[in-house]
Amino acid sequence: MVSNTQSLAERILSGDVRAAARLMRDIDDGISGANEQLKQLYPHTGKAYLLGITGLPGAGKSTLVNRIVEHLRKDGLTVGLVLVDPTSPFSGGAILGDRVRMSRHFTDPGVFIRSLATRGHLGGLSWCTNDVVNVMDAMGKDVVIIETVGVGQDETEVVSTAHTTVVVLTPGLGDEIQAIKAGILEVGDVFVVNKARREGADRAVRDLETMLSMKGWKTDEFRPPVVRTEALHDEGLPELMDAIACHRTFIETGERLKGKRVERARYELIELLKETLLTTVLGIRGGMEAIDAISLKIAERRSDPYTEVSRIVSESLKGPGK
Amino acid sequence: MVSNTQSLAERILSGDVRAAARLMRDIDDGISGANEQLKQLYPHTGKAYLLGITGLPGAGKSTLVNRIVEHLRKDGLTVGLVLVDPTSPFSGGAILGDRVRMSRHFTDPGVFIRSLATRGHLGGLSWCTNDVVNVMDAMGKDVVIIETVGVGQDETEVVSTAHTTVVVLTPGLGDEIQAIKAGILEVGDVFVVNKARREGADRAVRDLETMLSMKGWKTDEFRPPVVRTEALHDEGLPELMDAIACHRTFIETGERLKGKRVERARYELIELLKETLLTTVLGIRGGMEAIDAISLKIAERRSDPYTEVSRIVSESLKGPGK
């Protein structure tokens, strides 16, 4: 039996899945005690391999992620799965829409699934996602997969700090590939053209390879492979797993993984700082009620956001060196 | 001749387009003097009608926006156009990729175009977009269009504070519509199925209408219409302009526009506060160099982000009431 006098962090470290679920709920609800638990867990993180998966809605990411989990499980690896859905207003313990319902891994104790949605988090979803990734890492999951819907700035950032980032596209998205442009090309370590049985798959692969070749890779850089999959029929998955493993080997050579870890630490730090500064200052300055009153003044042009913000900041911050 | 002893804000208010371009460049570069100019301009804002346009990459938003601008210009209205592209690393005075190059409005003095890209803005693009919208508003543009690529959280927020938000979809995106789910349905005041000559347009319209009807609208709510367009051939544009005008009439009835203005003011205030707190604290605490040193400590698990952030916050903030 698990003792209730143990902290959530201690229970998580001793393998208590319900304690992990509870802490993730606290994180999502913004319960202030959560950071104390996360602090205790942090020394036990940094062991999981972080795999980011992103792409447009409808690219078949969920089906693909399910297949990836299957392959990882066959290799005896445990998996944490963080589904970030900024377009949905509902967070959930393990369920978010159809995409998880179709998951066969729901009852597998080697897989822990958590979904995160917007729910009006003021500071965005990034810090919250980082926290949940850290809990799964501390739980001892071998691989933590972060799946994001969309190609927004937040979504791109959150996966780009993973160790390996997979960008999922589909055929017939010639326009999309043009539109996605440089940003997503910068982010991807492995590109997938999913739904490869569809017309236009060859062209999509060719277009993508052409765009990637124009980038001018240095000899010590990893040149992202383009893999064709048809996740629905489990086609191309061995090739995808090989491509991911290949990038992992590359990253784990020399100082690269360390560099990735520092980059990720910086991202965690900045996101958490941004969020904490905002919520703390709002708390001190009268919370959302005060903000509402100021907003009304601004809307009526009796003030402006620049004046109000510089007032709040100078009233809230100590000077340098104090 | 424009006197150089005038402030940028004064020059903008007297119609100097180059001064506006200059201030927007300063905003993008994070020049600290920009806020002083924005403060001077703010009392002259709040007159423009803000039209948000969002949707997936490849939905044909740029072509559609070009058509919308054409129609607004035919009605004798001046237009400001803010193109937000979080997937591109390049901001530009007026040029960002093909989509603006194809614009016929580039040489029209009644249209002012500005594009914004990520460029590693720490606080995201939102505050920067708000600033540029305010400059265009102060310039006296009748309508300011904010176009965002992507369906991320930031992108959705920035358009959802517009007075009217148009969500652009394409046929054959059955999956996407499922994937986009509630989030984008909440945001849209008008829905467009663009590329309506393509197969599946009828189904897309039907699916969308079904999803919208499931929402259960109250009698005093605006039920978003679904409009079919083929922007490439200028089809469906009168219907779209009517739908936008219809929503505008709705919004301008009673207290609704005021509510929208307060909502927008709150959004501007929070985004600017978030950004200003972060950059000010980083500045005081030794800038990115200090952050790099802390990130290394965290990456090596000699510290953790929670401890570091609570230290930075308590060192930086005054207590309540002080």
Side-chain angles (χ1 to χ4, degrees), chain A residues 223-239:
Chain A
R223 197 182 154 139
V226 179
V227 181
R228 302 165 65 129
T229 61
E230 178 70 68
L232 213 56
H233 302 97
D234 203 13
E235 287 168 13
L237 264 293
E239 292 76 8

Side-chain angles (χ1 to χ4, degrees), chain B residues 87-106:
Chain B
T87 64
S88 167
F90 310 107
S91 286
I95 311 276
L96 182 67
D98 335 55
R99 50 195 192 124
V100 183
R101 239 171 277 140
M102 93 192 162
S103 169
R104 270 159 281 176
H105 312 292
F106 188 46

Side-chain angles (χ1 to χ4, degrees), chain A residues 21 24-25 28 81-83 92-93 112-116 132 136:
Chain A
M24 291 181 194
R25 217 157 45 233
D28 203 17
L81 183 48
V82 188
L83 307 169
F112 193 97
I113 304 172
R114 175 82 202 180
S115 59
L116 296 169
V132 169
M136 293 195 178

Side-chain angles (χ1 to χ4, degrees), chain B residues 12 20-21 23-24 27 38 41 45 130-140:
Chain B
I12 292 166
L23 180 55
M24 290 180 193
I27 292 165
L38 287 160
L41 291 178
T45 63
N130 291 338
D131 289 350
V132 169
V133 168
N134 287 337
V135 177
M136 293 195 180
D137 191 343
M139 286 171 82

Side-chain angles (χ1 to χ4, degrees), chain B:
Chain B
M1 288 297 295
V2 175
S3 158
N4 275 324
T5 58
Q6 282 187 305
S7 72
L8 276 181
E10 285 166 331
R11 287 166 58 196
I12 292 166
L13 292 172
S14 68
D16 183 346
V17 173
R18 285 175 55 198
R22 167 70 192 283
L23 180 55
M24 290 180 193
R25 219 159 40 234
D26 286 354
I27 292 165
D28 204 17
D29 292 342
I31 306 272
S32 56
N35 277 12
E36 198 42 57
Q37 305 304 317
L38 287 160
K39 210 179 280 186
Q40 287 183 43
L41 291 178
Y42 206 80
H44 305 274
T45 63
K47 288 165 202 142
Y49 199 78
L50 307 186
L51 181 60
I53 315 249
T54 194
L56 292 178
K61 283 186 295 304
S62 315
T63 318
L64 193 68
V65 166
N66 272 313
R67 295 293 181 191
I68 291 172
V69 173
E70 251 171 60
H71 282 259
L72 293 169
R73 293 296 293 137
K74 257 185 236 156
D75 291 344
L77 298 168
T78 56
V79 180
L81 183 49
V82 189
L83 307 169
V84 187
D85 190 348
T87 64
S88 167
F90 310 107
S91 286
I95 311 276
L96 182 67
D98 335 55
R99 50 195 192 124
V100 183
R101 239 171 277 140
M102 93 192 162
S103 169
R104 270 159 281 176
H105 312 292
F106 188 46
T107 53
D108 174 354
V111 181
F112 192 97
I113 304 172
R114 175 83 202 179
S115 60
L116 295 170
T118 307
R119 289 194 46 190
H121 287 297
L122 278 179
L125 268 175
S126 347
W127 60 275
C128 190
T129 306
N130 291 338
D131 289 350
V132 169
V133 168
N134 287 337
V135 177
M136 293 195 180
D137 191 343
M139 286 171 82
K141 297 299 170 209
D142 297 311
V143 179
V144 176
I145 300 177
I146 309 160
E147 184 204 320
T148 66
V149 169
V151 288
Q153 188 177 2
D154 279 353
E155 295 71 40
T156 307
E157 268 180 5
V158 85
V159 292
S160 71
T161 56
H163 299 135
T164 300
T165 301
V166 177
V167 174
V168 188
L169 299 161
T170 52
L173 297 186
D175 299 340
E176 278 77 354
I177 291 176
Q178 287 306 320
I180 287 165
K181 283 203 255 26
I184 218 158
L185 290 184
E186 298 292 336
V187 161
D189 300 309
V190 173
F191 289 87
V192 173
V193 175
N194 192 30
K195 305 190 180 179
R197 284 190 186 181
R198 284 199 190 169
E199 204 190 309
D202 290 335
R203 211 199 115 196
V205 172
R206 214 164 46 234
D207 286 354
L208 209 45
E209 279 171 345
T210 307
M211 289 184 77
L212 286 166
S213 70
M214 290 183 327
K215 216 204 134 199
W217 302 89
K218 299 195 195 97
T219 48
D220 64 339
E221 283 182 312
F222 186 82
R223 196 181 156 140
V226 180
V227 180
R228 302 165 65 129
T229 60
E230 178 70 68
L232 213 55
H233 302 96
D234 203 13
E235 288 169 13
L237 264 293
E239 291 76 7
L240 174 57
M241 299 312 288
D242 282 351
I244 294 170
C246 178
H247 182 258
R248 180 172 182 166
T249 305
F250 171 82
I251 273 290
E252 289 177 344
T253 307
E255 290 289 289
R256 289 192 190 102
L257 188 56
K258 193 184 170 181
K260 272 271 179 194
R261 287 211 169 110
V262 176
E263 197 185 309
R264 181 159 184 88
R266 187 189 296 113
Y267 173 69
E268 286 184 68
L269 187 66
I270 299 256
E271 292 302 316
L272 188 65
L273 183 59
K274 211 188 315 184
E275 168 71 17
T276 310
L277 281 171
L278 181 67
T279 51
T280 313
V281 167
L282 288 183
I284 294 170
R285 302 288 142 202
M288 285 313 283
E289 262 178 62
I291 291 294
D292 286 348
I294 299 170
S295 302
L296 186 62
K297 268 172 71 183
I298 295 173
E300 293 174 346
R301 265 61 187 173
R302 290 184 286 120
S303 186
D304 65 82
Y306 311 99
T307 304
E308 295 297 334
V309 164
S310 75
R311 187 184 53 74
I312 296 172
V313 170
S314 71
E315 282 176 10
S316 308
L317 294 186
K318 295 174 189 166
K322 279 181 210 161

